[in-house]
Amino acid sequence: MSQTSLKQKKKSETGSRYSKDSLETDKSRKDSEKSGVRLSTQGSQELSLPKTGSRGYLVRNQWSRTSRSPSTKAPSVDEPRSRNNSLKPPNSSTSSGTSSTSPSHQESPQPLSAQPSPPTPTMPLDSRPSTPPELQLPSASRRSTKLTENSDAWSHAGGRESRESRDKRESRDSRDTQQREYPRTPPTEWKPYAQRRMLYPSQLDRDCMSDLARQLEEEEDEDNAYWASVKTLYEKTPSCSRPRPPKPKHAITIAVSSRALFNMVDGRKIYEEEGLEKYMEYQLNNENVVLTPGPAFRFVKALQHVNARLRELYPDEQDLFDIVLMTNNHAQVGVRLINSVNHYGLLIDRFCLTGGKSPIGYLKAYLTNLYLSADSEKVQEAIQEGIASATMFDGAKDMAYCDTQLRVAFDGDAVLFSDESDHITKEHGLDKFFQHETLFENKPLAQGPLKGFLEDLGRLQKKFYAKDERLRCPIRTYLVTARSAASSGARVLKTLRRWGLEIDEALFLAGAPKGPILVKIRPHVFFDDHMFHIEGAQKLGTIAAHVPYGFNQKMNN
């Protein structure tokens, strides 16, 4: 073979080899541009050469420890150190340019894939190839590499130091909290300022005190002195607890008008002469003026004494007298009535102020057993409604009454009994009346309007008898009648016996005046259906109550 052919053959082989090497070089360069070239450095660290920008600036990895991106998530401990220590040198084409780590120098960065690069197989130290000369990093890159290498240690050290400082701060706070747990003063040992200031010099306090503070202190001293005097007053006053009123369904309800309980003649005169407005103005101007007792006042006081005796024997007793103030006065007058009731110590808790309307419609709602009023028209309305009622008249003379015993006197016919005898006497005369009573001696008389009230009194008397208190019973009843005992008295006593009632005293006067007998009895109230008997008792000082019921009332009308 000639020398010329040999040269051509070598040249073709060299060209083919060069072309193959150039293809492999281009291919490797393209692969490195896509995934970055991994360089093995001393210390068995992998260097990742990422893709650079158009100007040769380094596109930073968002997972790097030296990155200033907003993501602050720490890498897992199990991840390879190559990920934490990865460097981003510039591309070989721009190796002469200085790499910038400032975010402000980045230009059109392209985000890298979140998937980490597969680790390269570990090789022995002797067999590792040396770093190519063209890929030796400059001094700035080496400094950044050292920073990157130490970043993991710094992060762990910083986290360790932060944890230690946090633990120390928590322990110090807990120690301070334990030291600040001061003993608390129980509420029973709290003292007002007036007592605490006694521990300090008073003159110094007064000099440092302003005028307003001094005035407040003086007011506080006055209040303390006032409450101290009130406490002393209550300590000296004997205990008098107000008993609760009985339940209406068990109690004996006595409704009393304001004019029957108190003397309101002056106010009544103003009402009749000057009208309602002047009357109300008078009552408002005098609401602190205590009213004087009226005709039913002593009767109410005696009822309260009976209640007190019953509570002594039966502490849980409900069968008691319950007094209700029933009046057609306006509510503005109620203050004066309350003041008067409290002044005299009357145990009246139920009030009914109807404001000018008739209170008769409320009597049944209050379960009234007896209604006492100074208005005869209201009493007549109550009688027609089937409620025991009477018109009260005060005695013309002052009379001493028993305070320890309730005394009630009743007339017989048209009060306790029916008005049958009055019919016979007026139509056939007195002789026919005696014959009729003798003939029907064993036939009980029909009941009158106050028969129920007498039954209530008899029921309470039996409660005292059961406790062996017959001689000290605080209730005493009287029958004061114009009948004759020989001719018509037997029927009366047998009627009471059939009713199961016991009358303490029966006085048959056979037509004689009742006034002198009543003066001897001194009842708290005397019930009768004839006005001439009422007037006779009133002249001698007896408090009487007229019962507008029966044949005589129809004839008078």
Side-chain angles (χ1 to χ4, degrees):
M1 183 179 295
S2 62
Q3 186 177 4
T4 304
S5 60
L6 291 173
K7 290 181 179 180
Q8 291 179 355
K9 185 176 181 180
K10 291 180 180 180
K11 190 179 295 185
S12 62
E13 290 177 359
T14 304
S16 62
R17 187 172 62 253
Y18 288 157
S19 63
K20 186 181 296 185
D21 294 338
S22 62
L23 290 176
E24 292 177 359
T25 303
D26 295 337
K27 184 177 180 180
S28 62
R29 184 172 61 253
K30 290 180 181 179
D31 295 336
S32 63
E33 290 176 355
K34 290 183 180 179
S35 59
V37 180
R38 293 178 177 81
L39 300 179
S40 177
T41 60
Q42 294 181 1
S44 67
Q45 297 180 359
E46 290 186 359
L47 298 180
S48 176
L49 298 180
K51 183 178 180 180
T52 59
S54 59
R55 296 186 180 182
Y57 294 113
L58 177 65
V59 180
R60 303 182 61 195
N61 188 354
Q62 60 179 349
W63 297 102
S64 175
R65 281 285 182 177
T66 59
S67 175
R68 297 184 184 179
S69 62
S71 176
T72 58
K73 180 178 179 181
S76 175
V77 180
D78 299 334
E79 293 183 7
R81 293 177 58 87
S82 62
R83 181 177 176 183
N84 296 330
N85 300 328
S86 61
L87 295 178
K88 303 165 182 61
N91 198 4
S92 60
S93 61
T94 58
S95 60
S96 61
T98 304
S99 63
S100 175
T101 59
S102 175
S104 62
H105 293 168
Q106 295 180 7
E107 182 176 343
S108 63
Q110 297 181 4
L112 299 178
S113 175
Q115 296 292 335
S117 302
T120 56
T122 306
M123 299 175 63
L125 295 177
D126 298 337
S127 61
R128 290 178 184 172
S130 60
T131 303
E134 63 272 14
L135 296 179
Q136 290 295 333
L137 297 177
S139 61
S141 300
R142 281 196 291 271
R143 283 197 299 270
S144 63
T145 303
K146 291 181 180 180
L147 291 175
T148 308
E149 292 175 358
N150 297 331
S151 63
D152 186 41
W154 289 350
S155 63
H156 287 290
R160 189 163 53 251
E161 291 177 359
S162 63
R163 285 195 299 271
E164 292 177 359
S165 62
R166 185 170 60 253
D167 295 340
K168 292 180 180 179
R169 184 168 61 255
E170 290 178 356
S171 62
R172 183 172 63 255
D173 293 343
S174 62
R175 186 167 57 254
D176 294 344
T177 304
Q178 294 178 358
Q179 293 177 358
R180 293 172 186 170
E181 290 182 354
Y182 302 107
R184 298 182 178 180
T185 305
T188 55
E189 298 182 6
W190 292 348
K191 297 180 180 179
Y193 173 74
Q195 297 181 6
R196 287 186 283 107
R197 70 182 180 86
M198 300 301 295
L199 302 176
Y200 305 97
S202 59
Q203 185 63 31
L204 180 61
D205 291 347
R206 190 168 295 274
D207 294 339
C208 299
M209 200 180 302
S210 62
D211 295 338
L212 179 59
R214 189 179 300 109
Q215 183 179 0
L216 294 176
E217 181 187 359
E218 292 176 357
E219 292 179 358
E220 185 177 359
D221 293 342
E222 292 178 359
D223 292 342
N224 294 336
Y226 169 75
W227 288 113
S229 62
V230 171
K231 182 179 179 181
T232 304
L233 177 63
Y234 276 97
E235 289 177 353
K236 292 182 178 180
T237 304
S239 177
C240 52
S241 58
R242 189 182 185 91
R244 295 179 60 86
K247 296 181 179 180
K249 63 181 181 180
H250 301 299
I252 304 170
T253 304
I254 309 297
V256 184
S257 69
S258 58
R259 291 171 56 196
L261 185 61
F262 300 110
N263 186 359
M264 304 181 69
V265 178
D266 295 339
R268 183 69 180 179
K269 185 178 180 180
I270 294 175
Y271 172 75
E272 293 175 353
E273 294 178 357
E274 301 182 20
L276 177 61
E277 297 300 328
K278 290 293 184 181
Y279 169 77
M280 294 178 60
E281 182 180 356
Y282 169 78
Q283 296 293 352
L284 290 174
N285 294 334
N286 295 274
E287 64 180 13
N288 294 324
V289 179
V290 179
L291 295 167
T292 57
F297 181 84
R298 297 178 180 86
F299 175 67
V300 171
K301 293 285 288 185
L303 295 178
Q304 290 186 180
H305 178 71
V306 175
N307 286 347
R309 290 288 308 278
L310 282 171
R311 287 191 175 100
E312 292 177 0
L313 299 176
Y314 306 93
D316 298 329
E317 182 62 43
Q318 290 290 325
D319 194 4
L320 305 170
F321 292 109
D322 185 18
I323 297 93
V324 178
L325 185 61
M326 189 80 62
T327 177
N328 61 350
N329 274 299
H330 287 260
Q332 287 81 350
V333 189
V335 177
R336 188 179 187 186
L337 295 174
I338 292 174
N339 293 337
S340 301
V341 167
N342 293 334
H343 173 77
Y344 293 108
L346 301 177
L347 300 180
I348 301 178
D349 297 299
R350 307 184 199 275
F351 276 51
C352 181
L353 307 169
T354 60
K357 294 184 179 180
S358 176
I360 304 304
Y362 293 96
L363 293 176
K364 288 186 178 180
Y366 278 86
L367 304 178
T368 303
N369 298 88
L370 177 65
Y371 173 58
L372 302 176
S373 176
D375 192 342
S376 58
E377 294 180 359
K378 299 293 188 301
V379 172
Q380 187 66 45
E381 292 179 15
I383 288 288
Q384 292 176 0
E385 294 292 331
I387 298 174
S389 304
T391 306
M392 297 294 295
F393 294 93
D394 203 352
K397 297 181 180 179
D398 292 335
M399 182 183 296
Y401 292 89
C402 183
D403 296 332
T404 60
Q405 190 177 55
L406 171 65
R407 298 179 181 181
V408 184
F410 299 91
D411 181 28
D413 297 313
V415 177
L416 291 179
F417 313 115
S418 65
D419 57 346
E420 178 184 346
S421 61
D422 292 334
H423 280 277
I424 297 175
T425 303
K426 296 296 181 182
E427 293 178 359
H428 304 285
L430 191 58
D431 293 336
K432 289 292 183 181
F433 167 72
F434 291 150
Q435 294 178 3
H436 179 271
E437 292 300 304
T438 303
L439 182 62
F440 294 97
E441 178 180 339
N442 296 322
K443 182 181 179 180
L445 291 165
Q447 68 178 18
L450 292 182
K451 182 248 185 180
F453 182 59
L454 179 61
E455 287 179 339
D456 296 333
L457 296 178
R459 185 174 65 256
L460 296 182
Q461 282 180 319
K462 292 179 180 179
K463 293 180 181 294
F464 290 98
Y465 299 163
K467 295 290 185 178
D468 198 15
E469 295 283 336
R470 179 180 288 270
L471 298 179
R472 298 180 64 251
C473 181
I475 301 174
R476 194 162 185 85
T477 56
Y478 302 84
L479 175 62
V480 182
T481 177
R483 282 174 176 259
S484 172
S487 58
S488 58
R491 190 181 184 188
V492 169
L493 297 178
K494 289 182 179 181
T495 300
L496 294 174
R497 188 185 301 168
R498 291 287 296 271
W499 287 351
L501 299 178
E502 296 182 12
I503 201 78
D504 294 312
E505 298 185 23
L507 305 173
F508 296 92
L509 303 180
K514 298 181 180 180
I517 301 298
L518 294 173
V519 171
K520 181 63 178 177
I521 297 173
R522 296 186 180 183
H524 292 92
V525 61
F526 165 62
F527 296 98
D528 202 297
D529 65 314
H530 291 278
M531 279 304 300
F532 64 92
H533 291 304
I534 297 294
E535 294 173 356
Q538 186 182 5
K539 290 179 181 179
L540 298 177
T542 301
I543 298 174
H546 179 245
V547 182
Y549 175 78
F551 179 76
N552 292 327
Q553 312 305 320
K554 296 178 183 178
M555 290 182 61
N556 295 334
N557 294 334

